[in-house]
Amino acid sequence: MKLLRFGPKGQEKPGLLGSDGKVRDLSGVVPDFEGANISLEAIARIRALDESTLPVVENIDRYGSCVARVPNFFCIGLNYAKHAAESGMAVPAEPIMFNKATSALCGPNDDVIIPRNSEKSDWEVELGVVIGKTALYVSEEDALDYVAGYCVINDMSERAFQIERGGQWVKGKSAPTFGPTGPYLVTADEIPDPQVLDLKLSLNGEVVQDSNTNDMIFTVRQIISYMSQFMELQPGDIIATGTPSGVGMGMKPQRFLKPGDVMELEIEGLGHQRQTAVAAK
């Protein structure tokens, strides 16, 4: 299934993309896609519905983040071999974990706001993993059993804030709109192997990131198992699993976003995003 949220910001409703290509309203079944409502059990209940009985939604003006009010927005850094190389950094021995503020979440086609005093706002297409049941001390063998689904994420980054200002990466990752997510949460049964997905990002029509998740240093299985050794993952948690090569920081000369730039992102089977960069007011 492809689950989604539609409507004005702050008024989104849950829905699904039906087998007939029409969006169906799920707001009479589930209040929103968050926490227990995005668990594996909740998804099973939605799957059991007769979608033809659900109201059809016409003329959607906006899609929201496919998950609402996530408990945690986790990220994995330097997780593609070619990206580590372009960054001039060693391949990590263990997954590099950091957080992104949940207030960075936004819709897949919303404008991305370049924050005040930004000099180096950058793009990062990433495979997002949404947790579907509580995970603690999970084995790699069982790790994918804890996945509710997958989505496209643009893990936007302000490199000067992230790298040149000291402290942790979170402040370079967390500006409002720095987490476009969706358009769909594609349930795990539709993605039997998350390590064979093509992903790409175009900037103003030029493809700058074009890779496959088989270039990941740590697989989705390894990431979930590893994280669960240190913390309890909860239904609705999002994990952005790293970006491939082709970010602005890695270019020679470096290239960063300016107002009016348009990013288009796509991951095989997970849908398409399009954002325009605008200046903060």
Side-chain angles (χ1 to χ4, degrees):
M1 290 189 300
K2 291 181 173 65
L3 304 178
L4 54 88
R5 299 172 65 246
F6 62 92
K9 184 177 180 181
Q11 302 176 44
E12 295 91 344
K13 295 181 179 181
L16 64 82
L17 183 66
S19 56
D20 57 3
K22 298 178 180 179
V23 172
R24 303 277 176 164
D25 188 341
L26 280 170
S27 60
V29 178
V30 61
D32 207 346
F33 291 140
E34 60 177 315
N37 294 328
I38 206 66
S39 67
L40 294 174
E41 292 84 359
I43 288 172
R45 290 194 294 270
I46 294 170
R47 185 177 287 111
L49 296 172
D50 179 356
E51 68 178 44
S52 67
T53 65
L54 300 170
V56 173
V57 183
E58 304 284 359
N59 303 319
I60 295 175
D61 293 327
R62 176 184 178 272
Y63 289 94
S65 166
C66 57
V67 184
R69 294 175 289 278
V70 301
N72 296 288
F73 198 161
F74 297 113
C75 301
I76 305 297
L78 293 177
N79 196 35
Y80 282 71
K82 293 176 183 176
H83 175 53
E86 75 174 351
S87 301
M89 299 181 183
V91 171
E94 298 185 28
I96 296 174
M97 296 165 43
F98 60 94
N99 284 72
K100 195 176 185 83
T102 59
S103 56
L105 275 176
C106 69
N109 304 316
D110 290 349
D111 288 345
V112 164
I113 302 170
I114 300 173
R116 293 182 184 179
N117 303 311
S118 169
E119 301 172 353
K120 299 180 179 180
S121 287
D122 205 347
W123 54 86
E124 297 189 21
V125 60
E126 305 203 9
L127 172 66
V129 177
V130 179
I131 297 298
K133 66 177 179 179
T134 300
L136 184 64
Y137 305 125
V138 172
S139 69
E140 288 184 20
E141 180 182 6
D142 296 335
L144 295 188
D145 294 340
Y146 292 79
V147 175
Y150 301 92
C151 58
V152 183
I153 294 176
N154 190 352
D155 176 23
M156 296 288 302
S157 307
E158 211 298 335
R159 303 300 188 184
F161 298 174
Q162 176 190 0
I163 298 169
E164 301 170 18
R165 301 285 296 273
Q168 299 185 355
W169 287 2
V170 62
K171 66 178 177 288
K173 296 282 188 171
S174 297
T177 73
F178 265 33
T181 301
Y184 313 119
L185 173 65
V186 180
T187 53
D189 58 296
E190 292 198 15
I191 309 293
D193 185 356
Q195 303 309 142
V196 294
L197 304 177
D198 291 333
L199 66 171
K200 67 173 57 178
L201 184 148
S202 298
L203 181 66
N204 301 327
E206 174 192 354
V207 176
V208 291
Q209 291 188 280
D210 189 359
S211 188
N212 187 283
T213 54
N214 62 18
D215 189 44
M216 281 187 182
I217 297 166
F218 302 103
T219 66
V220 173
R221 286 184 183 273
Q222 291 172 317
I223 290 167
I224 293 172
S225 175
Y226 180 85
M227 292 181 66
S228 76
Q229 308 308 308
F230 305 100
M231 64 194 70
E232 181 179 275
L233 303 176
Q234 303 173 6
D237 281 349
I238 295 177
I239 306 170
T241 57
T243 199
S245 59
V247 299
M249 180 180 66
M251 294 181 174
K252 296 181 180 179
Q254 292 182 332
R255 182 177 175 184
F256 298 109
L257 291 171
K258 60 185 184 302
D261 283 344
V262 175
M263 295 168 284
E264 295 184 83
L265 297 74
E266 185 174 5
I267 299 181
E268 183 179 356
L270 302 183
H272 179 270
Q273 298 185 352
R274 186 181 190 276
Q275 300 113 30
T276 300
V278 299
K281 294 181 180 179

